[in-house]
Amino acid sequence: MPRFDDSDIGADLTQTRSPRDARPSVGGITASDGTTLPIPADLHHGRRESEVVEVPATRSSISDASQYMHNLSLNPSMREKRGSRNSFGISLPIPRSPRPSRLSIVSGIDSAKAAVSRELLASQVQDMAKEKVAAAKNMAFAFDIDGVLAHGNQAILEAREVLKMLNGDNELGIKIPHILLTNGGGKTEEERCQQLTEILESPISVDQFIQSHTPMQALSEYYETVLVVGGEGFKCRGVAQNYGFKHVYTPKDVLAWDAEASPWRNFSDAERADAHPVDFKRVKFDAILVFADSRDYATDMQLIIDLLLSEDGYFGTRSKNPESGSIPIYFSQGDMVMPTQFKGPPRMTQGAFRIAIEAIYKAQTGTDLERVVYGKPELATYKYADEVLKAWMEQIHNENRLPQNVYMIGDNPASDIIGGNMYGWNTCLVRTGVFQGGPGENDPNSPASFGVFDNVLQAVQAVVRKELGKEFKFKWNEKINPVLHGGDSLSAVE
């Protein structure tokens, strides 16, 4: 995979401090001004080739900052037919093999025995309904979380019923494949899954969970020293360290080193106690990673711009040619707005922050900022979702394959629906989040291909009845006797 030599970005080879700097150059991509862009490379370094997926990315003809400043459009549209908003070319790295789960689901010996007993009974039922079982294994769901399954830390009640049914509370006692695909982030996958398990009252495994920055773990193969932005407190430091980044710093660390770095800082004594200050004039940053929403726009914007305009990624310096770009910047997702518990319009999220950074950069340099955006609706996220779905199918059904009929259920036409449509998935739009259209209304710019529903339960019921038949029962009957209820009359409802 092509990459850049450090000489291409004006690096002083006498100050090499990262394995990225020492790797051989085999090519690159040229920006509009003739300079080259620092992008990841040597994807197979230290890994088996089968563990990596390379995803093509495209360069926008104009910056999103210009687009939004001129016409104030809130959403990308299917009418624009854009395959990607990413501006680095060649390929975008994502991990291929998902991480092993460390979330325990079964609690107590009695619960374990009951689960085994039910599983044996369900297997007998499934043996007598092989065609329906095959259809159930050939469908899968990808759920957005905020606005579909929950609002903040409160579950949408219909979502609890949906997850119970998909986890086996149905006439076949079968697990129907499903993953959670969210543009949220800021916590480790383990912490978020434990939280969702409690909120939704159904087991959520890290093996079926993708948040916005999950595919970004692949970047740890290239970058040792990174500035991680966003999230609560210092949680994103732990996320990045779990992904394998060796030297992880946050804006709060920089403030602890020199509080005057941000004139409008928001910095408490408690944050100072948890910060890791070093002499940042001696630290060479390899990349900027925006993992989650900024909690301090003024400081985060200031320090990001400082690094983007720096000489070779050193704080306190200024490049002689700042418009060429010093170090790469990655955003975990591009949503403009998100649903919250606020009784009003959706609130701004990371996409708005990114656009502000782009506008500031362009105002300072006169050129468009080269950046990479992960998350929905970018292609990399869906490629990674395929890998997770196949691995989850193997875990629950011992079949390492991708179901043919995948349904994306989301509330945001500009990410959930446009991404699913462009990737060839079936899409369902619900009215419990960003989208608030009336009865019979679909989004005019990015319409859901399967339909619009009041909530996730209605969407799942419509899909299941289409794939498994209108008479499919959504409850398991504990008293069923597969010998007495076999054949066409098989039913799990008394």
Side-chain angles (χ1 to χ4, degrees), residues 306-317:
D306 282 345
L307 278 183
L308 290 175
L309 302 182
S310 69
E311 186 74 30
D312 302 334
Y314 288 97
F315 269 118
T317 66

Side-chain angles (χ1 to χ4, degrees), residues 223-337:
Y223 304 132
E224 280 195 359
T225 304
V226 294
L227 180 73
V228 175
V229 178
E232 300 173 7
F234 294 90
K235 287 187 176 182
C236 282
R237 188 203 305 280
V239 174
Q241 290 171 336
N242 281 354
Y243 289 168
F245 294 97
K246 292 184 179 180
H247 306 297
V248 181
Y249 296 104
T250 73
K252 300 296 185 184
D253 299 326
V254 179
L255 290 183
W257 165 65
D258 186 349
E260 298 305 320
S262 175
W264 313 117
R265 58 192 173 276
N266 179 14
F267 192 46
S268 67
D269 292 338
E271 289 169 331
R272 184 181 299 278
D274 292 330
H276 295 169
V278 299
D279 184 358
F280 282 104
K281 287 188 176 179
R282 295 178 173 271
V283 175
K284 181 180 181 181
F285 282 89
D286 298 326
I288 304 166
L289 310 178
V290 182
F291 270 6
D293 288 287
S294 169
R295 266 57 172 184
D296 183 355
Y297 267 44
T299 296
D300 293 348
M301 285 181 175
Q302 179 67 67
L303 300 185
I304 287 173
I305 293 296
D306 282 345
L307 278 183
L308 290 175
L309 302 182
S310 69
E311 186 74 30
D312 302 334
Y314 288 97
F315 269 118
T317 66
R318 187 56 59 101
S319 173
K320 298 179 180 64
N321 186 25
E323 67 274 7
S324 65
S326 175
I327 64 174
I329 181 169
Y330 298 83
F331 295 88
S332 67
Q333 54 103 344
D335 283 352
M336 273 286 292
V337 295

Side-chain angles (χ1 to χ4, degrees), residues 106-121 478:
V106 178
S107 58
I109 297 177
D110 291 339
S111 298
K113 289 182 178 179
V116 171
S117 176
R118 175 167 169 167
E119 185 175 337
L120 290 173
L121 183 58
E478 296 288 353

Side-chain angles (χ1 to χ4, degrees), residues 26-193:
V26 293
I29 182 170
T30 303
S32 56
D33 62 356
T35 60
T36 52
L37 307 174
I39 60 175
D42 192 13
L43 194 57
H44 303 151
H45 177 74
R47 309 187 74 179
R48 295 191 302 273
E49 183 174 353
S50 61
E51 293 180 343
V52 177
V53 176
E54 296 185 4
V55 182
T58 60
R59 181 193 301 271
S60 300
S61 58
I62 60 173
S63 72
D64 281 350
S66 296
Q67 173 190 349
Y68 284 102
M69 285 189 292
H70 286 300
N71 62 26
L72 302 180
S73 171
L74 282 179
N75 301 317
S77 167
M78 283 297 293
R79 294 174 181 174
E80 299 176 34
K81 302 297 182 185
R82 290 193 300 176
S84 172
R85 296 173 304 182
N86 286 324
S87 52
F88 287 169
I90 309 304
S91 53
L92 186 64
I94 60 173
R96 182 161 193 162
S97 49
R99 65 221 163 271
S101 173
R102 294 187 292 275
L103 181 65
S104 176
I105 300 302
V106 178
S107 58
I109 297 177
D110 291 339
S111 298
K113 289 182 178 179
V116 171
S117 176
R118 175 167 169 167
E119 185 175 337
L120 290 173
L121 183 58
S123 66
Q124 296 175 344
V125 172
Q126 293 164 20
D127 284 342
M128 298 180 179
K130 293 184 179 180
E131 289 187 5
K132 193 173 289 188
V133 167
K137 292 180 180 180
N138 207 30
M139 61 182 288
F141 292 93
F143 294 105
D144 181 40
I145 297 177
D146 294 313
V148 176
L149 302 181
H151 289 136
N153 291 325
Q154 293 186 357
I156 295 174
L157 296 182
E158 291 86 355
R160 290 176 176 171
E161 190 172 346
V162 163
L163 294 180
K164 288 177 182 177
M165 189 278 291
L166 296 180
N167 281 321
D169 189 10
N170 55 65
E171 72 173 59
L172 296 175
I174 193 171
K175 291 183 177 181
I176 297 176
H178 60 283
I179 62 173
L180 277 61
L181 184 60
T182 175
N183 272 357
K187 301 177 181 178
T188 64
E189 284 74 12
E190 289 80 7
E191 181 180 356
R192 184 63 170 142
C193 285

Side-chain angles (χ1 to χ4, degrees), residues 4-21:
F4 290 94
D5 191 29
D6 288 315
S7 61
D8 292 334
I9 58 172
D12 183 353
L13 298 181
T14 64
Q15 298 181 352
T16 297
R17 305 213 175 178
S18 166
R20 174 179 70 94
D21 301 330

